[in-house]
Amino acid sequence: MFTHARKAFASFCLTLALVLFAAGPLFAQAARAGTPKPPEQIDFTADNMSVTEKGSTVEGQGHVEFKRQEMILHADQLRFNRETQDMEATGNVAIEDPEWKIKQADRVRFNLNEETGTIEKGDLFLEKGHLTMTGDRLQKLSGQSYHIDEGVFTTCLCDDGPPTWKIAAKEIDIEREGTGVIKRGMFYIMDVPVLYIPYAIFPVRTERETGFLFPEFGSSGKNGFRFVQPFYWAISKSSDATVSFDIETKARIGAIGQYRTMFSKDFSAELDGSYFNELFRTNPNGDVGDKTIADCNRKPTAAPPPLPANDYSNNCDVIPRNRWSAVANHRQTAASGWTTYSDIALFSDDFFVRELTHNLHFNYDQERDIKTSRYTQARVGFLQGWGDMTLQGEGTYYQDFIQADKVTLQRTPQIAFTGRKVLWNTPLELRWRAAGINYLSQHAPDGLRFDIRPELVLPFNLANYLHGSINVAPRETLYHLYDNTASFSTVTCAAPLNNRSCTKDPQTLRSFTRNNSRELVEITSNVGTSFGSVFSLSGSGLQKIKHVVEPEVSYLFISRSKQNDIPFMDGVDRVNHRNQATFSLTNRFWGKFSQLTPAPPVDTDVEMVSGTEDTRELARLKFAIGYSMEKPNGPGGRLSDLDTGLRVIPKDYLAFGGDLSINPGSGTVSQAAALFSIFDPRPITRRVLDQDFMRPNSLDLSYRFIGKTANSPLAENANPILVNPNSPTRVCSSLDTQFGDTFDPRCERTNVQGLLSLRALFHVTDYLLLFYDTTYNFQKSRFATNRGAIKILSKCECWSVTLALNQSTNPATTSFKFHFDLLGLSSQSKPSFK
């Protein structure tokens, strides 16, 4: 025993360095049996210390400090047994650790080997999940399990005053990565009891666990009040499911289900399904904003009588009473290397994706993509690779959201064999692609097609100055048709055009030969070089800039072939004659940065630094134009559009640029695009359970323009009835006939698209977040989409509220959404605004 008078020293401190084989951190998972444990250092200091029992036990009194790795314990008294790894601390016990802490306790007992112990009249905080537990007696069981007598727990981080919410109970059992059980409990809001809980099971992890999740609320003037109650079921370690009850008081009632499973690392599957009944809806087809889509461009010959409530007999039956969706996928790889896959997306009606995708809990990008899709597909296939060779088989069903499914060509099945092989010991390379496909359709030419395309490739590199390749590919395409005819209708109108004096004439488009073929040769080549200069700069950041110039000339030749006597099923069937050279010039700017980082000082008066280098592309500017070797038949001339592309990335967090295509003959802009993106590079140092508050401030701005083309009117109506050429020429507008909108190829052309998109996320404060996403259509002078949200995080970081407003044009509706999360207990585990 060592003692000294306090008068001689302000504080006596004896440091005992013990190097011993110890367990992991107090609340870490136990090491695997049989795994050797490395020696760890323990620092033990106190005003008075003693070593007893032949050095196996160390005791300390007064200002005790016990350090082990990153864990620091303070107490009035401590007794530690080196052999049994038992530790007992009493009096004002406090423990600091990066993952957990004991703010205050009267007594703490732990066994470091078994990672078990008790805390008496203590306050325990777990960093993961922001979980605070207080009780007369907290018992740490094996693993990450706790039992609390007369306890309280909350996820609020309130420094002063009562927590926003808490649960107190006679008994609480908590499994950190699982569930919690309450017996004889009470739910408090600001220390006010509001709900008695005799018995309850709830999730206590940042990921969802079995139990009811917090409901969602919303409101829409058209669909009424919305209530969604989700239930999460953790079926096993490899599978789970979510089922939600959904009701909108003016429109529908339904259910949404999600099932996910991973049987092994080589087999995973997911199934999402939904069912809705338009029980409360009146005149549903009146909500269709654009009658030219979804097989809904027909108008009755006479005015129909008024429809009674809930009457679904309208001849434009876009929205049925019963609606459903099925989205599924799976991936499986066998030991032999064969991979099977499926991606299924089926919907009861064409308008489902535009109206109900927001009910299916997709994130915003997924919802936008599916709502703007031309069609969706359901595919099933297999894949096998042997080195540089691949065999793939696939069957695909398309659901068309714009035109009638009866005219859609279905690909069932398709077989493709691709590969490459270097010939002998030469640079010559043989590549090939052989594909067979079976097309099916009710009202279009369909049948079998085989496309065989071998290709010889000769790459070259001349004295490291010129590089390129020459490619020659003969191609054979064979057809065997089942249905070899196609038909359409035209409208003939007498002047004046608005007197409804029009007639509809069925026409036969074409009758193709049942067995036919097409032969052609494709020759491509390119040659290019690159040269540049390096400019040195003075400064601590950007050290050098390298400017690289890359000119390139490419040539494309495709032989003439007779294609009018073969059907048009996809892009393979129309390969037009080409004899064209393309010239391009690319300028690249590279930057070399030197970053200085502090290093441990050798001398206290000298701070050493170590440098790291970073090289990245700062900007790119490209010009490209094509020249036809033969005089084209059209009015465009020999030159193609001049394409310009610019990308500037001055910082990792800043990018802007654009694309521009100009017709050299007329000087008009055929297409243009611009983008600007920036985000806050400052790191977010605090950890919040709501993932949206962990995202930096950001702004994305983009613009897209597509000019006038011969098919511009089809951008407004993909289901027109053609005007007979013998009818009078008219201006492109809605032709009020009994046949609906028509399309006259002689019409005045209009611009296809002019869209401005903006997305912004901004942290007003640490507890207030703003999000805005909008798209403005300049062609129609209106917003295509308009969505804004405000998110509020409580001062104690234990709940968040989202208030969102969403405006869409088809259907034209404005909806309000309210979502509340008790963080750590509710459903918020992924960002909402993404």
Side-chain angles (χ1 to χ4, degrees):
M1 179 179 294
F2 304 91
T3 59
H4 288 276
R6 290 177 177 257
K7 294 181 180 180
F9 301 95
S11 175
F12 174 79
C13 178
L14 174 64
T15 303
L16 180 63
L18 303 175
V19 179
L20 39 93
F21 291 88
L26 293 180
F27 292 96
Q29 294 293 332
R32 295 181 180 179
T35 303
K37 301 172 184 177
E40 297 175 349
Q41 179 173 305
I42 291 179
D43 294 332
F44 188 180
T45 65
D47 291 343
N48 299 289
M49 299 188 63
S50 63
V51 179
T52 63
E53 301 179 11
K54 298 181 181 181
S56 63
T57 302
V58 182
E59 295 182 357
Q61 299 85 29
H63 300 90
V64 175
E65 184 176 83
F66 183 92
K67 294 182 179 180
R68 182 172 181 270
Q69 293 184 345
E70 296 181 288
M71 186 271 289
I72 303 176
L73 178 147
H74 293 90
D76 293 338
Q77 297 180 2
L78 177 67
R79 179 184 176 89
F80 175 66
N81 189 303
R82 169 180 177 176
E83 295 180 354
T84 64
Q85 296 290 293
D86 288 325
M87 180 182 67
E88 180 179 358
T90 57
N92 299 312
V93 183
I95 300 178
E96 294 284 341
D97 186 90
E99 297 297 326
W100 59 275
K101 65 179 64 177
I102 295 178
K103 298 179 180 179
Q104 181 277 329
D106 288 352
R107 182 185 299 272
V108 174
R109 297 189 184 93
F110 283 117
N111 182 277
L112 301 184
N113 279 335
E114 298 179 0
E115 302 174 4
T116 59
T118 59
I119 304 170
E120 296 181 7
K121 296 188 181 301
D123 189 346
L124 174 65
F125 174 76
L126 301 182
E127 180 66 33
K128 186 177 181 180
H130 289 184
L131 185 60
T132 299
M133 297 180 288
T134 305
D136 288 346
R137 185 173 183 271
L138 292 83
Q139 186 176 2
K140 167 68 170 60
L141 307 175
S142 60
Q144 296 295 304
S145 300
Y146 304 87
H147 176 82
I148 309 173
D149 294 319
E150 299 292 343
V152 175
F153 82 91
T154 182
T155 59
C156 297
L157 302 179
C158 300
D159 295 329
D160 300 317
T164 305
W165 68 267
K166 66 180 181 181
I167 295 177
K170 291 291 183 181
E171 294 183 37
I172 302 175
D173 290 288
I174 293 179
E175 183 179 344
R176 178 56 251 171
E177 291 302 319
T179 59
V181 177
I182 295 174
K183 298 178 182 178
R184 293 173 292 172
M186 182 68 71
F187 183 79
Y188 288 80
I189 296 180
M190 300 298 293
D191 269 354
V192 177
V194 296
L195 178 64
Y196 175 68
I197 308 174
Y199 182 87
I201 300 176
F202 57 92
V204 288
R205 58 188 300 181
T206 53
E207 297 180 3
R208 296 182 293 179
E209 192 62 44
T210 298
F212 285 99
L213 304 177
F214 201 85
E216 298 180 21
F217 303 94
S219 178
S220 168
K222 184 168 294 185
N223 297 328
F225 176 76
R226 185 184 180 211
F227 172 78
V228 181
Q229 177 58 67
F231 176 81
Y232 182 80
W233 180 21
I235 302 172
S236 66
K237 291 183 179 180
S238 60
S239 60
D240 57 22
T242 305
V243 179
S244 301
F245 169 77
D246 191 334
I247 182 172
E248 293 175 81
T249 56
K250 291 184 179 180
R252 62 188 64 88
I253 187 172
I256 306 166
Q258 297 173 304
Y259 173 75
R260 296 161 292 270
T261 185
M262 181 173 287
F263 293 110
S264 67
K265 65 177 182 179
D266 300 321
F267 184 21
S268 62
E270 181 174 344
L271 172 63
D272 297 352
S274 70
Y275 168 78
F276 296 95
N277 187 294
E278 304 292 315
L279 178 66
F280 310 116
R281 198 162 185 173
T282 59
N283 190 22
N285 296 314
D287 294 334
V288 180
D290 186 352
K291 297 296 194 298
T292 69
I293 64 174
D295 305 338
C296 189
N297 62 331
R298 302 176 302 279
K299 295 182 180 179
T301 56
L307 297 176
N310 296 330
D311 190 339
Y312 285 74
S313 61
N314 192 313
N315 72 327
C316 183
D317 191 10
V318 179
I319 302 177
R321 170 71 65 84
N322 297 299
R323 312 177 75 182
W324 51 267
S325 68
V327 179
N329 65 75
H330 99 278
R331 298 290 185 272
Q332 182 177 12
T333 302
S336 59
W338 288 87
T339 298
T340 60
Y341 61 89
S342 65
D343 294 287
I344 309 299
L346 298 172
F347 301 91
S348 59
D349 56 274
D350 292 342
F351 208 65
F352 187 103
V353 296
R354 298 181 178 89
E355 189 175 32
L356 291 176
T357 47
H358 71 279
N359 292 52
L360 303 183
H361 297 99
F362 292 127
N363 65 46
Y364 186 67
D365 286 339
Q366 290 175 316
E367 180 180 336
R368 180 182 58 186
D369 289 345
I370 196 170
K371 289 176 71 172
T372 56
S373 295
R374 173 68 168 80
Y375 54 82
T376 189
Q377 63 179 1
R379 63 174 187 167
V380 178
F382 66 85
L383 187 67
Q384 172 66 49
W386 301 275
D388 292 333
M389 297 182 295
T390 302
L391 176 65
Q392 183 178 11
E394 184 175 288
T396 307
Y397 172 80
Y398 295 96
Q399 181 176 354
D400 198 319
F401 294 146
I402 305 298
Q403 295 175 316
D405 290 327
K406 61 186 179 181
V407 300
T408 303
L409 287 161
Q410 309 299 342
R411 304 159 64 102
T412 55
Q414 178 183 10
I415 302 292
F417 180 54
T418 60
R420 58 188 290 270
K421 182 177 178 60
V422 176
L423 299 180
W424 307 288
N425 293 321
T426 69
L428 194 64
E429 183 179 291
L430 173 64
R431 301 176 184 175
W432 66 87
R433 174 180 173 82
I437 188 169
N438 183 42
Y439 269 113
L440 296 174
S441 175
Q442 297 182 35
H443 295 280
D446 56 8
L448 289 170
R449 184 188 70 203
F450 296 94
D451 186 48
I452 304 172
R453 187 182 184 274
E455 181 180 20
L456 284 176
V457 180
L458 177 63
F460 59 84
N461 191 357
L462 303 178
N464 293 325
Y465 292 106
L466 293 176
H467 54 83
S469 67
I470 300 175
N471 304 31
V472 179
R475 190 170 186 176
E476 177 76 20
T477 309
L478 305 173
Y479 295 86
H480 172 70
L481 302 182
Y482 311 138
D483 183 358
N484 58 347
T485 61
S487 60
F488 69 105
S489 297
T490 61
V491 169
T492 302
C493 300
L497 297 180
N498 60 355
N499 65 355
R500 305 175 68 89
S501 57
C502 300
T503 58
K504 182 177 179 181
D505 305 314
Q507 303 286 332
T508 298
L509 178 63
R510 186 79 183 180
S511 179
F512 301 104
T513 305
R514 188 167 297 275
N515 295 302
N516 211 330
S517 65
R518 178 196 63 188
E519 297 77 24
L520 51 85
V521 176
E522 301 175 9
I523 301 175
T524 60
S525 64
N526 68 287
V527 59
T529 186
S530 65
F531 53 88
S533 301
V534 178
F535 305 92
S536 298
L537 303 175
S538 60
S540 59
L542 181 60
Q543 298 293 306
K544 297 179 180 180
I545 292 180
K546 184 177 183 179
H547 176 211
V548 180
V549 181
E550 300 174 351
E552 185 180 48
V553 179
S554 60
Y555 174 73
L556 171 64
F557 174 82
I558 301 177
S559 62
R560 298 181 185 274
S561 60
K562 187 178 180 181
Q563 301 183 112
N564 291 331
D565 55 351
I566 60 176
F568 187 11
M569 296 185 287
D570 60 26
V572 172
D573 304 307
R574 293 296 181 269
V575 182
N576 295 331
H577 169 63
R578 289 285 189 275
N579 188 6
Q580 177 176 304
T582 301
F583 306 89
S584 67
L585 180 66
T586 304
N587 292 267
R588 301 180 190 270
F589 297 87
W590 295 83
K592 187 175 184 180
F593 298 83
S594 177
Q595 300 176 350
L596 300 179
T597 58
V602 178
D603 191 312
T604 55
D605 296 329
V606 179
E607 182 181 7
M608 304 296 292
V609 294
S610 60
T612 60
E613 294 183 349
D614 175 31
T615 302
R616 58 183 175 85
E617 190 176 17
L618 299 177
R620 182 191 309 169
L621 176 63
K622 182 176 182 179
F623 302 94
I625 191 169
Y627 179 81
S628 177
M629 302 297 184
E630 301 177 7
K631 185 177 180 180
N633 296 327
R638 291 179 180 268
L639 292 176
S640 69
D641 287 352
L642 173 63
D643 295 330
T644 304
L646 174 66
R647 295 291 183 273
V648 181
I649 315 170
K651 298 290 184 180
D652 291 339
Y653 53 86
L654 175 64
F656 59 89
D659 298 296
L660 186 67
S661 294
I662 300 176
N663 188 309
S666 62
T668 58
V669 176
S670 55
Q671 73 89 23
L675 62 91
F676 176 84
S677 179
I678 187 173
F679 69 90
D680 193 340
R682 296 173 297 181
I684 298 177
T685 56
R686 64 174 187 152
R687 183 179 184 275
V688 182
L689 295 183
D690 191 303
Q691 295 299 306
D692 287 316
F693 282 90
M694 298 293 292
R695 297 171 57 195
N697 297 326
S698 62
L699 173 66
D700 295 294
L701 186 66
S702 63
Y703 174 74
R704 179 69 173 172
F705 169 80
I706 300 177
K708 301 175 182 179
T709 68
N711 295 321
S712 293
L714 296 178
E716 297 296 323
N717 183 1
N719 291 294
I721 299 177
L722 297 179
V723 172
N724 192 304
N726 296 324
S727 295
T729 304
R730 67 181 181 87
V731 177
C732 283
S733 61
S734 177
L735 182 61
D736 186 17
T737 73
Q738 59 181 346
F739 306 113
D741 290 339
T742 59
F743 173 44
D744 189 340
R746 299 165 295 176
C747 290
E748 177 187 353
R749 301 175 184 178
T750 59
N751 292 330
V752 175
Q753 188 182 82
L755 296 178
L756 177 66
S757 299
L758 181 146
R759 177 182 290 192
L761 185 145
F762 180 66
H763 294 258
V764 180
T765 68
D766 288 341
Y767 304 98
L768 180 61
L769 183 67
L770 300 182
F771 176 79
Y772 185 61
D773 191 297
T774 187
T775 301
Y776 185 80
N777 190 329
F778 284 95
Q779 302 303 116
K780 298 183 178 181
S781 299
R782 70 183 186 188
F783 288 97
T785 59
N786 210 2
R787 179 175 181 250
I790 299 174
K791 198 161 197 177
I792 302 171
L793 179 67
S794 68
K795 290 287 185 179
C796 299
E797 299 182 12
C798 59
W799 57 263
S800 65
V801 171
T802 303
L803 307 174
L805 191 66
N806 187 19
Q807 183 183 41
S808 60
T809 56
N810 192 26
T813 181
T814 300
S815 61
F816 172 78
K817 178 182 178 181
F818 168 84
H819 188 73
F820 178 77
D821 267 310
L822 284 177
L823 301 181
L825 296 182
S826 194
S827 58
Q828 175 67 32
S829 60
K830 297 180 180 179
S832 300
F833 312 133
K834 196 173 182 180

